Amino acid sequence: PASVDRIGRRLFAGIDAASREVGAAGAMIGLPIRMIYKYDEPNPSQRRLRRTLLQQELLQRGVLTFVGYMLPSLAHDDATLERVVAAYREALAVVEQVAEAGAFARHLEIPLLE
């Protein structure tokens, strides 16, 4: 448990630092063993759009979350932590650019059911 806690704290701090670097409107919340990125967006609809786009952008970068939650484990070695933080940095930057442009409809890739 102490190792997972240590890994989670590094992940938490790295994602928060990436968030500040790109000027994202949010931060990680929760415990080091189960955390989620929370947007400081008062409008629930806009907050949902940001969260959805963030998850989409993370998936495109190979980061899978559980309904947005990060669940660190012993599989998160130094290289993996760096990749996850880099993916968050890139994804958060995209979300901020899209939000500023008000262009969520053009960037969300929602498959149509046929």
Side-chain angles (χ1 to χ4, degrees):
S3 295
V4 173
D5 181 73
R6 191 171 35 259
I7 291 165
R9 288 180 190 281
R10 286 184 56 201
L11 190 58
F12 198 107
I15 294 169
D16 270 351
S19 179
R20 287 189 303 275
E21 286 173 28
V22 301
M28 294 302 285
I29 61 168
L31 301 172
I33 59 169
R34 185 174 186 257
M35 63 195 89
I36 192 167
Y37 193 84
K38 180 180 183 237
Y39 278 101
D40 299 328
E41 170 59 59
N43 181 315
S45 177
Q46 289 296 307
R47 190 171 52 245
R48 190 174 316 108
L49 289 168
R50 284 176 180 262
R51 286 180 46 200
T52 301
L53 183 58
L54 176 61
Q55 189 150 359
Q56 171 187 296
E57 293 298 315
L58 288 171
L59 280 171
Q60 290 175 349
R61 289 163 178 77
V63 174
L64 178 63
T65 64
F66 176 71
V67 194
Y69 283 93
M70 292 295 302
L71 304 169
S73 73
L74 296 177
H76 288 97
D77 59 15
D78 289 342
T80 303
L81 287 173
E82 289 175 19
R83 279 195 354 253
V84 171
V85 170
Y88 260 90
R89 183 179 297 108
E90 293 170 9
L92 287 166
V94 169
V95 173
E96 291 307 305
Q97 292 168 353
V98 169
E100 187 174 309
F104 286 103
R106 288 191 312 233
H107 289 87
L108 285 169
E109 299 173 11
I110 301 170
L112 297 175
L113 299 177
E114 295 183 26

